[in-house]
Amino acid sequence: MDASFTAEQDEIRRTLRELLQKRCGSHELRAAVDTPAGHDPALWTALAQQLGLPGLALPEAYGGVGCSATELALAAEETGRFLAPSPLLATAVLAAPLVLALGSENQRASLLPRIAAGSLTAALAVPGPALTTALALTGPGDGEWAGGGRAGGVQARQLGDGGWRLYGQVAQVLDGHSAQLLLVAAHAGGFARSRTLLFLVAGDADGLVRTRQTALDATRPQARIELRDVEGELLGADDSPRLLRELAALGDTVAAVLAAEAVGAADRALERTVQHVKQREQFGRAIGSFQAVKHRLADVYVQVQAAKSAAYYAAWAIGNGERVGGIALAQALEALRGAAAEGIQLHGGIGFTWEHEAHLYFKRAAGDELLFGPVHRLRAYAAEGARLFDSREVTV
């Protein structure tokens, strides 16, 4: 493994950081999350047109840049530093790869160029709090999370003309209130031919009700969607086993990108805390000169650097057939939580105020654990997959 970055990768990080420093300051961030969309459409347009961010990991044949998941992870690290609210995670990381992997040629040709250009945003709707299970990060993605023929989730009914109608409810859909296209996982076939399928639903479809929810982390807007006999278009073929395989494969990429994003946020939280303790004085000296403060920040620094190494390795491993995204995500989320908590503590009184940004990093850590964790389940499933605790007979 070559641990150094290429000139192209360094340029992606530098250009993106410069843009976000200008367009995603504290005031702009708070203004963006208060908009109906939950993000700044002008910033999203700039990310798409100037940097090609939505199509960074899409093939050039569909208007993408043709980079790998490593470049997407490095870009996410920079957006994480600024907690930049955007449809990047929902559109480019969760939805677009599924369209690419499962869609028919007509569906890919129709949707992917628009996604790459930033003119079409998308969201993945998985019933219940089962996103990490569907992505095979905290449990086997066997399809039971889609409803399994029982009440709850989303049900799909095929019409005589071959069309599909969907009904049910999905909560906690990232950017589900503003996405122009929804990829809805639904159960079909009842008990006779039970299977999980993925459907394309237009954001303005008749019978679709979308409600933005109050989320712990306002920089990750979520919605509850209700499908009341809504028309859906089957994504690709009626092939449930293939869908489950692609979701599990996508899970490792999602985890690696999220780990890089969390590392970026943790690095920035630590950086802000170090700047503060250098300036804040107590008893006539900067509080950063006290040994106890140095020790605490040194521990956070080691944790963040270890998480950064794990995140970079996970991004590199995607193209080399090694699944380590889940364990890298666990380490990154733990590092972010530690960096944010220490930041609040060492900022003293102002660290607890609404006006300061410290609480935003802590909420990102807590919110990501609720959506993609928790840490102990990520680690437990990774250990189970590696057969780490299998009993073995030892002969002497």
Side-chain angles (χ1 to χ4, degrees):
M1 173 185 176
D2 184 1
S4 61
F5 295 119
T6 65
E8 183 182 37
Q9 290 169 341
D10 283 331
E11 183 64 17
I12 290 173
R13 301 173 77 194
R14 184 191 63 79
T15 307
L16 182 54
R17 184 175 299 190
E18 289 179 355
L19 176 62
L20 292 175
Q21 282 176 339
K22 296 176 182 177
R23 303 286 295 272
C24 198
S26 177
H27 175 73
E28 292 82 3
L29 171 63
R30 293 173 187 272
V33 299
D34 288 336
T35 62
H39 66 271
D40 180 6
L43 175 60
W44 176 243
T45 300
L47 293 175
Q49 295 182 354
Q50 296 181 25
L51 302 178
L53 215 57
L56 194 61
L58 289 177
E60 295 181 19
Y62 297 110
V65 181
C67 293
S68 68
T70 301
E71 284 75 18
L72 189 58
L74 293 176
E77 182 182 0
E78 297 305 318
T79 61
R81 286 181 61 85
F82 297 91
L83 301 181
S86 78
L88 180 66
L89 176 61
T91 299
V93 182
L94 288 169
L98 291 173
V99 175
L100 178 63
L102 299 170
S104 65
E105 182 53 41
N106 287 337
Q107 288 171 334
R108 291 196 295 264
S110 171
L111 299 175
L112 292 179
R114 295 158 61 198
I115 289 176
S119 59
L120 177 68
T121 57
L124 175 64
V126 173
L131 182 57
T132 55
T133 302
L135 296 173
L137 292 175
T138 58
D142 53 11
E144 288 297 314
W145 43 267
R150 298 180 293 275
V154 178
Q155 307 297 316
R157 176 172 55 91
Q158 190 169 21
L159 305 179
D161 60 1
W164 292 85
R165 309 296 292 188
L166 309 178
Y167 55 96
Q169 178 176 296
V170 185
Q172 294 179 299
V173 180
L174 288 174
D175 291 310
H177 62 295
S178 61
Q180 296 154 315
L181 176 70
L182 296 174
L183 275 66
V184 181
H187 174 267
F191 289 103
R193 189 166 174 251
S194 175
R195 60 202 190 278
T196 301
L197 302 173
L198 205 59
F199 296 89
L200 301 173
V201 176
D204 57 356
D206 292 337
L208 178 65
V209 179
R210 306 192 287 178
T211 306
R212 183 176 176 180
Q213 296 178 308
T214 300
L216 173 64
D217 178 11
T219 65
R220 283 226 201 277
Q222 301 174 35
R224 181 182 72 253
I225 67 170
E226 299 175 43
L227 301 109
R228 304 171 180 175
D229 197 27
V230 175
E231 180 182 0
E233 177 186 347
L234 182 64
L235 179 64
D238 186 344
D239 189 348
S240 181
R242 184 186 176 197
L243 167 62
L244 299 180
R245 289 195 302 270
E246 292 297 340
L247 280 170
L250 174 64
D252 201 57
T253 301
V254 172
V257 172
L258 283 168
E261 186 188 67
V263 161
D267 202 27
R268 179 58 176 161
L270 175 60
E271 180 183 301
R272 290 175 63 90
T273 305
V274 170
Q275 291 173 351
H276 175 75
V277 299
K278 286 181 177 180
Q279 298 170 357
R280 177 62 186 268
E281 292 189 356
Q282 192 174 41
F283 305 115
R285 55 189 288 195
I287 63 174
S289 65
F290 293 111
Q291 196 71 12
V293 174
K294 290 181 179 180
H295 284 171
R296 292 171 67 170
L297 290 176
D299 289 342
V300 173
Y301 176 79
V302 171
Q303 193 175 32
V304 171
Q305 292 303 311
K308 185 178 294 188
S309 296
Y312 289 167
Y313 183 83
W316 172 85
I318 292 170
N320 292 273
E322 189 176 356
R323 289 183 59 90
V324 292
I327 196 68
L329 177 58
Q331 190 161 357
L333 290 178
E334 193 170 55
L336 175 55
R337 183 177 59 193
E342 287 289 1
I344 290 176
Q345 181 73 22
L346 292 175
H347 272 84
I350 64 170
F352 291 87
T353 62
W354 183 259
E355 292 75 16
H356 201 274
E357 293 183 22
H359 71 95
L360 297 177
Y361 288 88
F362 188 81
K363 288 177 179 177
R364 169 60 66 89
D368 275 5
E369 277 208 61
L370 290 172
L371 281 170
F372 302 103
V375 166
H376 70 273
R377 289 188 61 193
L378 288 167
R379 284 183 170 147
Y381 190 65
E384 180 182 337
R387 305 175 65 87
L388 193 60
F389 301 114
D390 282 5
S391 58
R392 297 181 178 88
E393 183 177 349
V394 179
T395 57
V396 179

